[in-house]
């Protein structure tokens, strides 16, 4: 992985997350990118320009009216120099000024004067992020083709918990890497299924499972970061589409997921089946709400759902297939069995129960493939998904050079 000779302009606006952008500069420099930093005046209250100057090895610019700096590299040259502009952190104020096309300081002026793709990594208090004014500005910027990266949810510097944390420097670096087509899955099309399926019994009841969809969504996001074009087929979940996913298809039942995945798989190089697909569906779906009959046991007849992975592997030309296996015991035995039976290239197995797996924010996986295995230790699902994707990329390149 290299960003040699890539020219990245980092904009820093006023927010405590500015300290994390120092790390971002280091991460970009580690990959040999050329980095120039433009700070808003507010940002200098959080981190000194000297810090960014030392890390980037280049003079840092703050003011539009610095005659000496303008004589060296004027703001228009700076705007032309940049191949990518990433503003991290992007404060509520900066989003507002950009949404309105203002050019009242050097950073906003450079953003307006540049044809380079613009990436914004918002960071602010969760209440501010949720404010309709901020959301309207974000929607307007998105519509203009600006890429919004994050924010992530979690604990905030102000003590609140919610959406508004800046994405981690490693994640921002990966997104920039992928944007230059240099990720591990560059040029490949990845299809991911995620979440549960709901099998309707009547208009108000269904049989479902406890999948939150978080693992599959994290896999989709990691694939985007690795440079893939990603299609996500999602069961009923309440999760936002990860930034950069090209197409999201929402489904409800296993049959709908089966149809959506088989259609999309024709255009995919890799399929990761992270969905927890219901194995059975009611043989008959009542159009009217079933009424309780006290004292009489109710039995439901269930029919088996088709196996999506097995259907794919039965086709002569099919994508590289990655399945998941959530098991309560004998994880290795059952996972290897599924690898064989379903005709998979790789399976990611995890132990469920005791607070692990479903609905949990973190997970651990063991990957199995014909002739090999590897452990991915317990960590947050986004991190785990990145590890998984990097192994999938390795195996894919080995299997289909
Ligand atoms: O057999 P089991 O449901 O444990 O296998 C899990 C794996 O198989 C997951 O990758 C899941 O997405 C996939 N699966 C499928 N179609 C089904 C059931 C499971 O593709 N009907």
């Amino acid at each position: 992985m290299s960003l040699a000779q890539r020219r990245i302009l980092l904009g820093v606006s006023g927010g405590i997350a500015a300290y994390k952008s120092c790390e971002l500069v280091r991460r970009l420099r580690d990959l040999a990118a050329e980095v120039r930093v433009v700070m808003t005046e507010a940002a200098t209250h959080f981190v000194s320009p000297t810090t960014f100057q030392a890390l980037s090895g280049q003079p840092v610019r703050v003011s539009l009216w610095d005659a000496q700096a303008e004589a060296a590299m004027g703001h228009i040259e700076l705007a032309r120099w940049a191949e990518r502009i990433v503003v991290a952190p992007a404060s509520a104020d900066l989003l507002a000024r950009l949404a309105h096309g203002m050019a009242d300081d050097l950073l906003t002026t450079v953003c307006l004067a540049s044809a380079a793709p613009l990436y914004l990594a918002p960071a602010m208090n969760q209440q501010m992020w949720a404010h309709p004014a901020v959301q309207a500005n974000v929607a307007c910027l998105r519509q203009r083709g600006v890429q919004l990266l994050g924010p992530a949810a979690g604990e905030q510097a102000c003590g609140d918990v919610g959406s508004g944390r800046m994405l981690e420097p490693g994640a921002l670096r990966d997104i920039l890497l992928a944007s230059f087509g240099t990720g591990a899955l560059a040029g490949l099309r990845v299809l991911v299924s995620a979440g549960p399926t709901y099998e309707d019994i009547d208009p108000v009841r269904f049989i479902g499972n406890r999948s939150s969809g978080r693992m599959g969504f994290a896999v989709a996001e990691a694939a985007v970061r690795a440079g893939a074009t990603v299609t996500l087929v999602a069961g009923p979940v309440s999760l936002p589409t990860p930034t950069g996913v090209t197409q999201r298809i929402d489904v409800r039942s296993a049959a709908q997921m089966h149809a959506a995945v088989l259609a999309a798989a024709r255009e995919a190089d890799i399929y990761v089946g992270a969905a927890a697909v219901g194995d059975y569906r009611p043989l008959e779906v009542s159009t009217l709400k079933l009424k309780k009959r006290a004292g009489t046991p109710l039995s439901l007849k269930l029919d088996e759902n088709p196996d999506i992975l097995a259907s794919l592997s039965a086709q002569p030309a099919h994508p590289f297939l990655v399945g998941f296996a959530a098991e309560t015991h004998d994880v290795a035995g059952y996972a290897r069995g599924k690898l064989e039976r379903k005709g998979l290239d790789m399976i990611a197995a995890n132990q469920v129960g005791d607070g692990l797996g479903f609905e949990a924010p973190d997970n651990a996986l063991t990957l199995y493939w014909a002739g090999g295995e590897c452990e991915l230790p317990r960590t947050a699902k986004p991190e785990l998904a990145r590890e998984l994707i990097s192994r999938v990329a390795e195996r894919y390149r080995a299997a289909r050079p």
Side-chain angles (χ1 to χ4, degrees):
M1 288 194 299
S2 165
L3 285 170
Q5 289 165 12
R6 295 299 189 178
R7 303 184 304 273
I8 297 170
L9 191 143
L10 170 66
V12 183
S13 67
I16 183 57
Y19 81 92
K20 287 193 192 174
S21 301
C22 302
E23 177 67 16
L24 175 59
V25 177
R26 286 205 56 173
R27 298 284 190 109
L28 294 171
R29 296 285 299 140
D30 284 347
L31 297 180
E34 291 179 32
V35 182
R36 286 178 180 261
V37 180
V38 172
M39 302 174 77
T40 63
E41 203 276 326
T44 63
H45 293 275
F46 292 91
V47 178
S48 150
T50 319
T51 309
F52 282 112
Q53 182 174 314
L55 292 168
S56 67
Q58 295 291 336
V60 170
R61 296 214 37 200
V62 179
S63 169
L64 193 52
W65 308 113
D66 182 333
Q68 212 179 355
E70 280 294 309
M73 193 189 238
H75 62 278
I76 298 296
E77 283 113 294
L78 199 53
R80 287 192 187 131
W81 171 89
E83 288 180 281
R84 298 285 183 275
I85 299 181
V86 55
V87 183
S91 63
D93 177 67
L94 188 97
L95 295 177
R97 291 190 291 129
L98 287 177
H100 290 274
M102 290 175 73
D104 53 350
D105 66 1
L106 179 65
L107 180 55
T108 48
T109 305
V110 169
C111 288
L112 276 189
S114 179
L118 178 59
Y119 296 82
L120 304 177
M124 66 197 72
N125 164 271
Q126 48 92 20
Q127 197 76 40
M128 289 172 83
W129 173 249
H131 196 285
V134 173
Q135 287 305 310
N137 290 332
V138 167
C140 161
L141 289 163
R142 266 208 187 102
Q143 208 219 339
R144 269 186 224 144
V146 173
Q147 300 241 31
L148 270 291
L149 313 177
E155 217 168 280
Q156 303 201 290
C158 54
D160 278 12
V161 176
S163 199
R165 276 167 64 103
M166 189 172 96
L167 288 193
E168 294 302 321
L172 295 174
R173 181 202 66 167
D174 288 352
I175 292 168
L176 288 167
L177 251 177
S179 80
F180 287 109
T182 43
L185 293 178
L188 295 176
R189 299 157 305 174
V190 174
L191 173 64
V192 181
S193 68
T197 61
Y198 286 176
E199 311 301 325
D200 287 334
I201 298 171
D202 69 14
V204 292
R205 304 181 184 95
F206 60 85
I207 303 172
N209 60 60
R210 289 171 50 189
S211 166
S212 66
R214 271 190 289 205
M215 190 66 214
F217 274 58
V219 168
E221 183 158 19
V224 168
R225 298 224 181 121
T229 305
V230 177
T231 299
L232 176 60
V233 176
V237 293
S238 51
L239 293 173
T241 309
T243 308
V245 164
T246 308
Q247 193 191 11
R248 170 171 174 174
I249 305 164
D250 286 305
V251 297
R252 180 172 170 84
S253 65
Q256 289 170 353
M257 186 172 276
H258 187 269
V261 168
L262 262 70
R266 286 189 223 119
E267 308 281 312
D269 300 297
I270 297 172
Y271 169 60
V272 183
V277 188
D279 290 327
Y280 293 95
R281 64 179 182 280
L283 199 57
E284 280 168 21
V285 183
S286 173
T287 51
L288 300 175
K289 183 180 172 189
L290 296 178
K291 301 312 280 182
K292 182 164 68 181
R293 272 181 287 167
T296 319
L298 175 72
S299 45
L300 281 174
K301 276 218 168 102
L302 303 177
D303 207 1
E304 205 178 332
N305 279 324
D307 193 291
I308 303 170
L309 277 167
S311 306
L312 282 174
S313 74
Q315 297 183 343
H318 59 76
F320 183 89
L321 298 176
V322 184
F324 273 75
E327 308 292 347
T328 51
H329 60 285
D330 189 12
V331 178
Y334 283 116
R336 284 231 175 255
K338 273 175 204 173
L339 183 75
E340 288 250 325
R341 201 169 56 252
K342 300 194 188 208
L344 310 181
D345 294 287
M346 193 179 209
I347 193 154
N350 63 318
Q351 180 110 28
V352 288
D354 288 340
L356 273 171
F358 288 156
E359 295 171 334
D362 56 6
N363 205 350
L365 293 171
T366 310
L367 310 182
Y368 300 93
W369 59 91
E373 63 179 80
C374 103
E375 296 270 346
L376 304 183
R378 186 169 180 171
T379 178
K381 285 178 178 175
E383 186 59 39
L384 190 64
R386 277 199 284 279
E387 287 291 330
L388 170 67
I389 280 296
S390 116
R391 305 309 158 106
V392 168
E394 269 171 39
R395 296 305 316 152
Y396 174 84
R397 305 270 179 211
R400 305 188 180 189

